[in-house]
Amino acid sequence: MKLRPSPLEKDPQADLACLARAFAGLTSAEQVTAFLRDLCTPAELEALSDRWKVVPLLKQGVPYREIHELTGVSVTTTGRVARSLDHGHGGYAAAIAATATPAPPESE
């Protein structure tokens, strides 16, 4: 009988850290897009995009049902994103800050 190698021990924290380093090593939105398209299925990309799409609406205080009507994203998903915004690890806040456009200088 053919011997098969044992699978590597799973270490979810180390695996996530490795993935995070891969993202951090990319230097443009185009590279991140290409990586995401290679890494994720179309359904996974849609789910990630939906979550990100509701973030600015939640920050503006738009009600969940109105977010659903505007975006088609479920109220349940919107609630999960809202919980992460309020009680998560700060990832959404960091991404918001990183993508915020600076205010134009005031004219004198």
Side-chain angles (χ1 to χ4, degrees):
M1 170 161 70
K2 184 175 182 180
L3 293 176
R4 301 197 186 275
S6 326
L8 296 174
E9 280 284 319
K10 287 214 174 244
D11 182 349
Q13 294 299 333
D15 293 345
L16 181 58
C18 184
L19 180 60
R21 283 192 302 277
F23 274 104
L26 301 173
T27 58
S28 71
E30 292 79 16
Q31 288 179 338
V32 173
T33 298
F35 184 49
L36 284 168
R37 288 187 187 281
D38 288 343
L39 184 66
C40 299
T41 66
E44 291 165 337
L45 286 173
E46 182 180 11
L48 293 171
S49 297
D50 283 351
R51 291 175 193 155
W52 183 242
K53 186 185 331 182
V54 303
V55 169
L57 298 170
L58 287 167
K59 295 297 282 178
Q60 294 169 26
V62 177
Y64 292 11
R65 293 225 179 268
E66 188 175 339
I67 290 172
H68 171 68
E69 291 166 9
L70 291 168
T71 66
V73 176
S74 74
V75 172
T76 302
T77 295
T78 299
R80 287 183 185 132
V81 172
R83 273 192 304 281
S84 291
L85 274 168
D86 293 339
H87 306 292
H89 298 277
Y92 281 126
I96 291 166
T99 59
T101 54
E106 292 183 26
S107 54
E108 296 177 16

